[in-house]
Amino acid sequence: MLNKELAQFVPARVCLACDGCCRFHDGGSVWRPKITGDEIKRLYPDKLDVANAVLDQKAVDDNGYFKTVNVDGACCCAFFDAKYHTCKIYSERPFECALYPFLLVKKEKRIFLGVHLSCPYIQEKHSSEEYKRYVETLKEFFQAKNVVEFVQRNQTLAGTYLKYLDEIEDLFFLY
């Protein structure tokens, strides 16, 4: 499982306390995390068929995005517990959640690793040595054979983010 191999840059307590992560302006936001078929099988092992898992699990839409629920007028990830600012599946969260504020970005049929500059923690740490070391760690991580194969199998995790490209800094080309 890739999440266990990937050290998270933003500490969980910081990430979950932020009013940006796991909360969206609208229920169809492109910022909602996606989940792969492999991850659905891992999260819902009692579901033998991925299609049935997606249909039966009301938290995932037909395109693999997590659905949102209305919490006091805000659109929150279906797995976000707004009362306690926690994730109900944090230890088994999808790869895209573990990677954020770093993103797989698709541009002209190429996939890059980018960073979402709107993240307050990134704004604070962007010039730091800690950030630079983490980006180097990500370069190594994304060169590992199992990670390359995962990304190639799950290219739908790479978003286009067309309206938000000014908020995303390209870090390096994956393939």
Side-chain angles (χ1 to χ4, degrees), residues 15-130:
C15 192
L16 291 171
C18 173
D19 284 335
C21 295
C22 310
R23 302 155 193 87
F24 314 99
H25 291 293
D26 65 78
S29 173
V30 299
W31 296 108
R32 292 174 300 147
K34 290 182 184 173
I35 187 168
T36 69
D38 292 344
E39 292 172 313
I40 290 171
K41 288 178 185 176
R42 180 174 50 81
L43 286 170
Y44 312 110
D46 58 324
K47 307 294 185 192
L48 299 177
D49 181 72
V50 174
N52 285 341
V54 171
L55 293 173
D56 291 348
Q57 177 53 27
K58 303 291 188 244
V60 180
D61 74 14
D62 292 337
N63 294 315
Y65 282 101
F66 281 154
K67 290 183 180 179
T68 60
V69 294
N70 187 322
V71 178
D72 297 327
C75 298
C76 295
C77 174
F79 291 110
F80 182 69
D81 185 331
K83 182 177 179 180
Y84 297 104
H85 290 268
T86 58
C87 175
K88 296 173 187 172
I89 60 169
Y90 186 81
S91 64
E92 297 296 325
R93 68 198 181 283
F95 177 75
E96 193 170 42
C97 294
L99 184 63
Y100 189 81
F102 298 90
L103 312 159
L104 298 176
V105 181
K106 191 171 198 170
K107 291 183 184 179
E108 300 172 12
K109 299 182 183 181
R110 299 176 75 187
I111 296 180
F112 294 83
L113 186 76
V115 62
H116 192 196
L117 299 172
S118 294
C119 170
Y121 195 78
I122 292 297
Q123 291 171 10
E124 177 186 328
K125 299 289 187 176
H126 191 265
S127 299
S128 72
E129 286 302 315
E130 175 188 8

Side-chain angles (χ1 to χ4, degrees), residues 7 10 42 46 66 77 101 104 111 138 146 149-150 169 171:
V10 181
R42 180 174 50 81
D46 58 324
F66 281 154
C77 174
L104 298 176
I111 296 180
L138 286 174
N146 65 324
E149 290 171 350
F150 174 82
E169 176 184 356
L171 297 176

